[in-house]
Amino acid sequence: MVALGIRSESYVKRLLVPSAALLWGLQIAFLSPALALILVTLYDASTAQVGWILTVYNASGFVASLLLPSYADRREDYLRPMLACGVLTLVLALVLAFTTSLPVAVVALVVVGGPAGVGSSMLYAHLRHSGAKPADIVNTRAIVSVAWIAGPPVATLIIGAFGNRAILLAIGAIAVLIIVTTVVMIFQWSAAHDHDGPAQDAEDEHLALRTVPWS
């Protein structure tokens, strides 16, 4: 039973990063292609308004992609910023799904949506920080790429079958899964460091004792 539990835990751990990569890829692939359609059909935005809104939204994402990774680098913590991005994704989906005001939607996209899109970058940064092999990073990028390819047709299917707001609810559901996955990753990362910490301290103490010049 113990061996089975260990194997199950190891299996879950191996699935966490691929699952996070798939979810972040879908989050981007669902929102980006459908955003212009959502602005027109749900908020009656004109063509010019859509252009300006997308410009400001992408500019917000660019600024967030500079500031948030810098903050994470200083803290050497990428999972908690990734969790924050997941929460912001959920907030964005809920606001866009339930508001009928174009200004409110624009504020949500700029203030919440821009930072929310940095989550996938935090995942890659965490992999590098945790010493992942190059093959693991390549595999993660491949999963995100598959999600980017499969996401738009799936989003179109959801919109066609259930309406425009349904894609926002789907993004919200993905955000919930991202939050759960990231929380599990945080607990596993913390547990691993708590386990390694005492052992490393004991090893350092042993080395220090060996260097004491007894006389």
Side-chain angles (χ1 to χ4, degrees):
M1 293 296 293
V2 174
L4 180 61
I6 294 175
R7 286 198 298 269
S8 299
E9 181 179 354
S10 177
Y11 184 70
V12 170
K13 185 176 181 179
R14 288 198 301 269
L15 284 179
L16 282 176
V17 171
S19 298
L22 178 63
L23 291 169
W24 278 113
L26 289 176
Q27 181 261 344
I28 298 171
F30 275 15
L31 180 61
S32 296
L35 184 53
L37 178 62
I38 291 170
L39 291 172
V40 172
T41 57
L42 296 184
Y43 309 109
D44 296 324
S46 66
T47 303
Q49 287 175 327
V50 170
W52 282 110
I53 291 170
L54 293 181
T55 299
V56 176
Y57 166 64
N58 289 324
S60 171
F62 175 74
V63 173
S65 69
L66 297 177
L67 298 180
L68 190 57
S70 177
Y71 168 81
D73 286 338
R74 291 195 300 270
R75 299 291 297 272
E76 294 187 346
D77 181 7
Y78 304 95
L79 290 178
R80 287 177 176 81
M82 188 168 75
L83 177 62
C85 291
V87 173
L88 291 177
T89 300
L90 178 59
V91 172
L92 176 66
L94 293 176
V95 171
L96 294 181
F98 292 105
T99 188
T100 57
S101 169
L102 180 60
V104 172
V106 173
V107 171
L109 285 170
V110 174
V111 176
V112 180
V118 188
S120 59
S121 299
M122 293 294 98
L123 177 61
Y124 294 131
H126 170 69
L127 289 176
R128 292 191 296 269
H129 178 66
S130 61
K133 298 177 181 178
D136 295 330
I137 297 178
V138 170
N139 291 336
T140 302
R141 292 186 182 277
I143 294 173
V144 173
S145 298
V146 169
W148 284 349
I149 294 173
V154 175
T156 303
L157 179 62
I158 293 174
I159 292 174
F162 304 104
N164 295 307
R165 292 189 188 275
I167 191 62
L168 297 173
L169 298 178
I171 293 173
I174 290 173
V176 171
L177 294 176
I178 287 175
I179 292 170
V180 172
T181 302
T182 308
V183 168
V184 175
M185 292 175 68
I186 290 173
F187 276 114
Q188 288 199 343
W189 178 259
S190 299
H193 278 64
D194 289 343
H195 180 269
D196 293 341
Q200 183 66 39
D201 293 342
E203 182 179 351
D204 293 342
E205 181 179 356
H206 176 68
L207 292 175
L209 289 174
R210 291 180 59 184
T211 58
V212 173
W214 299 100
S215 58

